[in-house]
Amino acid sequence: MSRKVAILGGIGNAAVIAAAIDHAHRLGATDLEVAGFLNDRTPVGEKIDLYPVIGTLSDTKRLLDEGYWFINAILRIDGNRERIAMFESLGIPDDRLATFVHPMAYVAPSVQLSPGCVVLPQVAMSPGSRLGRGTIMMVGATMGHDNLVGDFCHIAAQACVGSYLTIGKGVHVGLNATIRENLTIGDYATLGMGAVLTKNMGPNEIWAGNPAKFLRYAE
Ligand SMILES: CC(C)(COP(=O)(O)OP(=O)(O)OC[C@H]1O[C@@H](n2cnc3c(N)ncnc32)[C@H](O)[C@@H]1OP(=O)(O)O)[C@@H](O)C(=O)NCCC(=O)NCCS
């Protein structure tokens, strides 16, 4: 029997995740079945890619009562604190956050994925890392070993995350960015696309470039 999953979000991240879950479902590799999106901007009934908007965020409680599972794909790249607080305010219990690993990803057996984590195709994760709730590894991202990653981080496509890192909550690692081993990244920090990070980043800081430098604080 399938578990129906409602994905919070729409155009962009959520649609990418919906397609990956649907693909895995059609292969028989997951019991998750995409019900559609919860989205406050696109009218209910409209489709985003192949999947309908089935409600607004205020429908969460009803869908919880109806037995749905949830994935949070709402993201703001340059500072994610508000969006995460909004998600937390919905009160979805961890045992209804769906964890999804696409069958074309490699995740070492000792990697710990918390509820709500999403791992998309072509991701490779070496042993010993722990990902917090709702953290998402986008297509082709790679992660070294023994990392501690906080809740609701977003590791964008093709990012190359090193080893022995401590990454806070709500961190965005940009497209194709590279992170050296043994560093610390503070909560809600953003690393720009293509960056090469060689130093620690503080909370709410936005860094970019090669080598990456401080650009500004998240608003
Ligand atoms: C780092 C980032 C958040 C900065 O955004 P921003 O504050 O709007 O920055 P701006 O576009 O105003 O650029 C400010 C300056 O930084 C430079 N810059 C911005 N992003 C950069 C990057 N990734 N690498 C190098 N330089 C960058 C700009 O060229 C500009 O330089 P200038 O002042 O000399 O003209 C953004 O550019 C970025 O990289 N976002 C991540 C994209 C991503 O990962 N997408 C995944 C989607 S799921």
Side-chain angles (χ1 to χ4, degrees):
M1 172 117 161
S2 296
R3 289 180 293 152
K4 290 200 182 310
V5 62
I7 303 174
L8 280 65
I11 295 164
N13 244 17
V16 169
I17 291 169
I21 294 174
D22 189 20
H23 180 239
H25 188 80
R26 289 169 196 236
L27 291 174
T30 180
D31 64 342
L32 292 172
E33 187 175 1
V34 178
F37 305 108
L38 295 182
N39 189 305
D40 285 349
R41 294 185 181 165
T42 308
V44 174
E46 241 176 59
K47 281 193 170 177
I48 299 173
D49 191 24
L50 302 179
Y51 315 99
V53 175
I54 57 170
T56 62
L57 297 183
S58 63
D59 289 307
T60 302
K61 168 91 179 61
R62 175 178 59 82
L63 294 181
L64 268 172
D65 292 344
E66 291 176 14
Y68 282 67
W69 290 69
F70 298 85
I71 285 174
N72 179 33
I74 296 176
L75 167 77
R76 180 171 165 169
I77 287 174
D78 57 341
N80 217 7
R81 181 192 295 269
E82 266 177 45
R83 303 285 166 95
I84 294 170
M86 185 271 300
F87 174 79
E88 299 282 26
S89 75
L90 297 172
I92 300 171
D94 282 0
D95 63 7
R96 286 296 191 79
L97 290 177
T99 304
F100 171 69
V101 178
H102 191 277
M104 287 160 63
Y106 162 67
V107 179
S110 61
V111 169
Q112 295 175 50
L113 300 175
S114 299
C117 282
V118 171
V119 178
L120 292 188
Q122 310 301 346
V123 164
M125 298 183 73
S126 294
S129 293
R130 182 182 186 284
L131 267 53
R133 295 157 59 240
T135 281
I136 296 175
M137 299 282 295
M138 295 300 281
V139 173
T142 62
M143 182 172 282
H145 55 87
D146 299 297
N147 295 301
L148 194 57
V149 182
D151 291 347
F152 300 109
C153 290
H154 185 258
I155 315 298
Q158 304 296 342
C160 180
V161 175
S163 302
Y164 299 119
L165 299 163
T166 303
I167 299 181
K169 178 178 187 175
V171 169
H172 174 80
V173 176
L175 291 167
N176 202 33
T178 299
I179 305 179
R180 178 185 187 164
E181 69 279 4
N182 284 312
L183 298 179
T184 297
I185 300 181
D187 292 348
Y188 310 109
T190 296
L191 183 60
M193 56 196 169
V196 176
L197 186 69
T198 58
K199 295 188 172 148
N200 295 333
M201 287 173 70
N204 303 307
E205 292 180 356
I206 299 179
W207 289 46
N210 177 9
K213 306 265 190 239
F214 174 79
L215 203 61
R216 63 179 173 87
Y217 284 101
E219 283 151 25

